[in-house]
Amino acid sequence: MHAFSRLSSILITIALVVVDVSAQIVAPTAKAKQVVASDTVFYFQNFEDATLEIRCADKANISWYAFSPVSLLFDSLITTVSDTTHSAINIGIEGGYAATVATADTTLEYRVWCFASAIDSLKLSIDSIDCTDMKVAVKVFQHSDSIYNYKDAEYKQIKHSATYDWYSCDTIQQTTSKPQATLATAIDDGYIKVVVKNEVGTEVSDSVYQESVGVLASFTTNIRDHEIENEVTSPTSYSAPVEVEFSNTSKGKYTVSEWAMGTIARMYETNPVYMFQTSGDYTVTLIVTNENSPLGCQSSDSSFTISVTEAEIGFPEAFTPNGDGVNDLFLPAYKSIKSYKISIMNRWGREVYKGTSPSEGWNGKINGQEAPAGTYFYIVDAEAYDKNVTFHKKGCVTLLR
């Protein structure tokens, strides 16, 4: 039988013929063990320096035998040592071994089995794949080992244990105790690999190349700075218009990029720039599609939301154009104003200032000369970015010297 001819590792099974144990067989270089048909099983990585040892409580005559697959008995004498408490043999081939311990009063027999558990080869395959998951499996080619079970008078096959490390693009994704796994679909071209480790630590691997199928949508944003000193903003909302740069950082072989700017616009550029002008909250969604894949895989990212404030405009009751850098100009505080006109008059109705930008104000001068302190009157007409929203304001302001 081939199970008794390999030299890569050792499987040892011990069966006692009596209940009372006065001796013990040990395998110093064993790597693992299990129980098969009530027999203890030890595993070795290889046969180099592999030995079996038996130790007795008292001196005895110790004889070693090999199992014969023809007679189904441990009847092939290897060696005999007299009047000793310890004996050891080198293991040359796989198979069954037994030691008898004989004293003047009794004879005890201890049985041992030795096998290799090497993995011959592997074959990794991809069973199925979709836009999210990839089902993979590995077939392990390994000859079977068995021991002879005297109770049932038949051979019992040994089941070998192993762990399976699954990799995608050199990154481990999963470890299983079975030869199947479900991995995340590859978004980059690369190798799917499995590394199988058996109970004695031997590693064997196989891999298969997988082209990118899945896609993973992602993007970054840059809100262009348009802040003006007297424009009212907050950390969570912006005054219109707000111009945002979008950078597509998606992974995978996507062929189409579709951007949904809330419900107000759709864009198909890879890295668009969009200006938000109407008040509201806008969640931006990027959808990327791999049209070249038979699966037509898609992925979306909706991680960015921007708030645009409603239009407002207000004016101070006084200003002090004394050049100290504080309240030197008469100008409004505002949000989301699209167009603006202001006319300022003195008490006699003479126009002393007019402007068309809410970010520019009156400096308290008339034709380059300082206007006298007092009360002045203004009329403002403004239009918001929101449709049909306008402002018509009248009021007075005190110029203080």
Side-chain angles (χ1 to χ4, degrees):
M1 295 177 61
H2 72 276
F4 307 115
S5 62
R6 291 178 288 113
L7 301 178
S8 58
S9 64
I10 302 171
L11 175 64
I12 303 174
T13 305
I14 303 172
L16 305 183
V17 298
V18 295
V19 175
D20 295 328
V21 178
S22 61
Q24 181 181 12
I25 291 182
V26 296
T29 57
K31 298 296 183 182
K33 70 178 180 178
Q34 64 169 298
V35 176
V36 178
S38 302
D39 296 332
T40 302
V41 177
F42 293 90
Y43 295 91
F44 295 77
Q45 197 164 43
N46 54 60
F47 273 118
E48 294 180 7
D49 301 323
T51 61
L52 297 177
E53 299 181 13
I54 189 165
R55 298 180 183 276
C56 309
D58 300 308
K59 289 185 177 182
N61 298 328
I62 301 175
S63 299
W64 290 94
Y65 297 87
F67 175 80
S68 170
V70 177
S71 64
L72 301 180
L73 297 172
F74 292 84
D75 56 5
S76 179
L77 180 64
I78 299 174
T79 187
T80 297
V81 182
S82 301
D83 196 27
T84 184
T85 59
H86 171 262
S87 179
I89 60 171
N90 293 320
I91 302 172
I93 62 173
E94 292 184 325
Y97 296 87
T100 60
V101 179
T103 65
D105 299 323
T106 185
T107 298
L108 301 179
E109 183 181 57
Y110 302 86
R111 296 174 182 168
V112 176
W113 296 89
C114 304
F115 297 94
S117 60
I119 300 172
D120 294 335
S121 61
L122 307 174
K123 182 61 177 178
L124 174 65
S125 62
I126 299 176
D127 291 347
S128 65
I129 189 169
D130 59 32
C131 294
T132 304
D133 294 326
M134 180 188 312
K135 298 186 186 309
V136 293
V138 62
K139 186 174 182 180
V140 179
F141 297 94
Q142 180 175 6
H143 50 265
S144 60
D145 295 321
S146 59
I147 66 172
Y148 188 76
N149 179 24
Y150 282 92
K151 179 180 179 181
D152 300 325
E154 63 181 10
Y155 280 97
K156 294 287 187 180
Q157 186 170 335
I158 298 169
K159 294 182 179 180
H160 295 286
S161 62
T163 58
Y164 304 83
D165 293 336
W166 304 91
Y167 291 79
S168 176
C169 300
D170 295 325
T171 301
I172 188 167
Q173 288 201 26
Q174 199 174 143
T175 297
T176 66
S177 59
K178 296 181 179 180
Q180 304 92 24
T182 299
L183 310 179
T185 300
I187 57 177
D188 297 309
D189 294 342
Y191 283 93
I192 305 300
K193 182 176 73 172
V194 62
V195 177
V196 181
K197 303 175 185 177
N198 67 5
E199 57 268 273
V200 299
T202 301
E203 292 188 9
V204 183
S205 66
D206 190 29
S207 61
V208 60
Y209 188 79
Q210 173 61 41
E211 291 188 356
S212 172
V213 174
V215 290
L216 181 63
S218 64
F219 63 92
T220 60
T221 60
N222 177 46
I223 300 175
R224 290 182 174 175
D225 185 15
H226 71 294
E227 186 174 327
I228 301 170
E229 183 176 354
N230 59 315
E231 186 179 41
V232 180
T233 61
S234 76
T236 58
S237 60
Y238 296 86
S239 174
V242 188
E243 193 171 45
V244 184
E245 299 174 346
F246 295 92
S247 297
N248 192 334
T249 57
S250 301
K251 296 181 179 180
K253 294 181 178 179
Y254 59 90
T255 56
V256 176
S257 301
E258 180 180 357
W259 300 83
M261 307 301 176
T263 60
I264 58 175
R266 297 254 173 184
M267 305 184 74
Y268 296 90
E269 302 172 36
T270 301
N271 301 301
V273 176
Y274 187 77
M275 184 174 291
F276 295 88
Q277 302 186 55
T278 306
S279 63
D281 296 328
Y282 302 95
T283 297
V284 176
T285 300
L286 168 62
I287 304 171
V288 292
T289 306
N290 183 359
E291 291 182 321
N292 293 332
S293 166
L295 303 174
C297 294
Q298 277 191 346
S299 176
S300 63
D301 181 7
S302 302
S303 58
F304 177 75
T305 298
I306 188 169
S307 295
V308 181
T309 63
E310 295 181 351
E312 295 180 15
I313 189 167
F315 293 86
E317 296 180 351
F319 73 115
T320 57
N322 55 12
D324 64 355
V326 179
N327 203 26
D328 285 333
L329 297 176
F330 174 66
L331 43 66
Y334 70 96
K335 300 177 183 178
S336 302
I337 296 299
K338 182 178 181 180
S339 64
Y340 172 88
K341 291 181 179 180
I342 186 172
S343 178
I344 301 176
M345 295 154 289
N346 62 19
R347 67 179 64 188
W348 295 283
R350 178 189 171 192
E351 186 178 70
V352 298
Y353 175 83
K354 65 178 179 180
T356 58
S357 173
S359 62
E360 298 175 358
W362 183 37
N363 60 6
K365 293 183 178 181
I366 302 173
N367 297 325
Q369 302 296 319
E370 292 186 351
T375 300
Y376 293 82
F377 303 90
Y378 61 86
I379 299 175
V380 173
D381 288 291
E383 179 184 357
Y385 280 94
D386 286 336
K387 189 176 181 180
N388 299 325
V389 176
T390 59
F391 299 91
H392 180 73
K393 289 180 174 289
K394 296 180 179 181
C396 60
V397 60
T398 302
L399 190 158
L400 301 174
R401 292 290 183 187

